[in-house]
Amino acid sequence: MLTTFNIIWKKEESESVKNERGCKILSEASTGNPQSDIPSPTSEFDQLVHDVEDLLLEQQIKETEKLYKESKCPNEKFNKKNKLSITDLSAQLWCEQQLELVLTTGKKRETEAMRLGIERHEVLEKADHLIIDVEVDTKEESLGYRLLNTIILLEQLYEMKKAREVWVFGVIRGYVLRGIIDELRIEYDNVTRREYLIISDTKTRKEKREPSLAQKRTSAIQVQTYCLLLQHLRHGRADFKKMFEIYECDPKFEFTASDLVKYKNLENLAKVVNCLFLRLPKIKEEMEIVYEHEGVEFARNSIPYFYHSTLYTVNFLLDYWDGKRCSDVVDNSDKWKCKFCDFVKNCVRCPLDA
């Protein structure tokens, strides 16, 4: 079976050891005598956690207010370094204020729906190809493995007419936008007598019903941006030089990892990636969003792609990162979203009480 790579930074290993040691210390500290009148370390620790959480909640308002007083743009404030994921853009369409609070506090709750979605994607990916862990200690080899994964999966796409979890990228207005496409397929159309590339995204639902229009809108911008990036890549408009600059990589740095040495460096690797993208057939400008419940598809939506409207939306969203405008809050018609937000009690711009 085909093999791709899961990239792990070597320094993460030392961090995980520290975390394990910390957990061990807490575990050892919690083994107090239950008959003792002295409060157990566990209860003291729990109280400390609650105190810290309360303090963080109080600080959220202060941090949010501070954001508007700072002169730095969000790209600099949040250390994005001109690298944005497609999920960053979709989160903006849901609520930019919420995204800003998540980035400010570092607090993001993983919902059951999110957990189920991650698990389902892992199942689908592992059914398609093997994934092995590789350790890296340079930015060049980290990016190199990402590009190598793209090479492997594009080659699979041409051979098997299908590939999953394909990493794509593009440079727009000085930002590297990148994301992972759930599924790419090449299908033959009997009417036009030509092959088309199909972009498909899978969404896992807790219940067997389609999401709200607002949720569909965030999913739509994802697949529309994927289409935009693939159109650029297919027409040879990949700006590898700018991407290497943003990722702070030396394109001539010589690889030492066994899987990468045959390419020698990023510069050569980029040439292979570019050639493979140039071979893509015409992209069908009607993407798919597949809804599943408990691993079974129950609905499929078609999302149209319009170049100018997609580019307009992406540019509008990038204006926020450039600091050309403040974060948007949800409209009154969408203020129901606030009821499901972790920051509703502390959001100074929440429209619920407006």
Side-chain angles (χ1 to χ4, degrees):
M1 186 181 281
L2 201 71
T3 301
T4 60
F5 303 95
N6 178 46
I7 304 155
I8 300 173
W9 278 85
K10 287 184 179 178
K11 62 182 179 182
E12 290 180 0
E13 183 179 353
S14 61
E15 289 297 324
S16 65
V17 170
K18 289 179 184 177
N19 291 335
E20 287 173 4
R21 287 174 181 168
C23 291
K24 184 179 180 182
I25 291 169
L26 291 174
S27 176
E28 291 171 350
S30 66
T31 56
N33 184 353
Q35 304 299 325
S36 173
D37 293 330
I38 301 173
S40 71
T42 303
S43 62
E44 290 179 358
F45 176 72
D46 289 342
Q47 185 59 48
L48 177 62
V49 169
H50 291 310
D51 290 343
V52 171
E53 287 178 345
D54 290 341
L55 180 62
L56 285 173
L57 287 173
E58 291 175 9
Q59 288 179 337
Q60 283 169 11
I61 295 178
K62 295 177 182 177
E63 290 293 334
T64 306
E65 291 173 341
K66 184 181 176 183
L67 280 172
Y68 296 104
K69 295 176 182 177
E70 291 180 359
S71 58
K72 290 182 179 179
C73 65
N75 179 47
E76 295 175 347
K77 287 176 191 173
F78 303 122
N79 201 31
K80 284 293 187 177
K81 296 182 178 179
N82 291 74
K83 296 192 290 284
L84 297 173
S85 68
I86 306 304
T87 51
D88 285 330
L89 303 186
S90 63
Q92 285 180 259
L93 282 188
W94 179 258
C95 177
E96 279 186 337
Q97 178 65 15
Q98 183 189 67
L99 173 64
E100 196 164 70
L101 285 166
V102 167
L103 293 171
T104 301
T105 63
K107 178 182 176 183
K108 184 177 182 180
R109 178 171 57 92
E110 184 181 279
T111 64
E112 184 182 354
M114 291 166 64
R115 181 183 59 79
L116 291 172
I118 292 169
E119 290 176 356
R120 179 58 179 160
H121 276 77
E122 286 179 351
V123 168
L124 291 171
E125 184 178 11
K126 288 177 180 178
D128 183 73
H129 55 261
L130 296 173
I131 307 167
I132 61 172
D133 292 341
V134 289
E135 287 189 341
V136 298
D137 55 10
T138 67
K139 293 178 181 178
E140 287 80 6
E141 293 198 338
S142 175
L143 182 57
Y145 270 111
R146 289 189 186 280
L147 293 175
L148 180 58
N149 281 343
T150 299
I151 289 172
I152 292 167
L153 293 171
L154 286 178
E155 288 175 343
Q156 181 195 36
L157 175 66
Y158 294 128
E159 182 180 350
M160 309 297 293
K161 305 300 181 184
K162 186 177 78 169
R164 291 197 63 85
E165 306 297 319
V166 182
W167 190 71
V168 294
F169 54 89
V171 178
I172 298 178
R173 264 177 54 181
Y175 287 89
V176 171
L177 304 184
R178 77 267 195 232
I180 297 176
I181 301 177
D182 283 357
E183 183 178 86
L184 289 176
R185 298 194 312 275
I186 294 177
E187 294 183 355
Y188 184 79
D189 187 292
N190 289 318
V191 177
T192 59
R193 295 184 179 181
R194 66 181 300 174
E195 288 185 329
Y196 286 90
L197 182 70
I198 312 294
I199 300 170
S200 182
D201 197 59
T202 302
K203 302 295 182 186
T204 302
R205 302 288 295 163
K206 278 178 61 179
E207 299 177 7
K208 198 174 181 179
R209 65 180 182 187
E210 293 189 35
S212 66
L213 188 60
Q215 288 171 301
K216 287 186 175 184
R217 188 175 173 228
T218 63
S219 299
I221 193 60
Q222 281 185 276
V223 291
Q224 287 165 339
T225 308
Y226 290 149
C227 189
L228 176 67
L229 297 181
L230 281 173
Q231 294 282 21
H232 286 183
L233 291 164
R234 179 174 175 265
H235 290 100
R237 297 205 294 269
D239 191 344
F240 286 101
K241 183 179 178 181
K242 186 64 177 178
M243 183 169 75
F244 296 152
E245 178 188 321
I246 290 172
Y247 272 86
E248 299 175 336
C249 290
D250 176 3
K252 296 186 183 296
F253 172 87
E254 292 200 10
F255 297 136
T256 58
S258 58
D259 306 294
L260 297 171
V261 287
K262 74 173 184 178
Y263 297 99
K264 191 175 181 180
N265 55 38
L266 281 171
E267 194 171 63
N268 291 337
L269 198 58
K271 291 176 183 177
V272 179
V273 173
N274 192 52
C275 287
L276 286 168
F277 275 120
L278 290 173
R279 287 175 53 194
L280 286 176
K282 183 177 175 63
I283 302 169
K284 187 174 182 180
E285 296 184 347
E286 192 174 73
M287 293 74 69
E288 298 176 349
I289 295 184
V290 178
Y291 295 103
E292 290 187 352
H293 173 64
E294 296 181 349
V296 179
E297 178 184 336
F298 68 89
R300 184 176 293 238
N301 291 172
S302 294
I303 307 297
Y305 170 78
F306 301 103
Y307 171 76
H308 292 292
S309 62
T310 301
L311 191 60
Y312 175 85
T313 302
V314 169
N315 275 313
F316 174 76
L317 297 175
L318 291 180
D319 283 345
Y320 163 73
W321 296 103
D322 279 340
K324 293 183 177 179
R325 60 177 179 81
C326 293
S327 59
D328 269 355
V329 292
V330 295
D331 296 329
N332 278 331
S333 59
D334 281 336
K335 63 184 181 182
W336 56 268
K337 295 178 183 178
C338 301
K339 296 177 182 178
F340 303 95
C341 180
D342 291 338
F343 303 99
V344 63
K345 294 180 181 178
N346 303 88
C347 180
V348 295
R349 303 172 72 197
C350 177
L352 277 179
D353 299 325

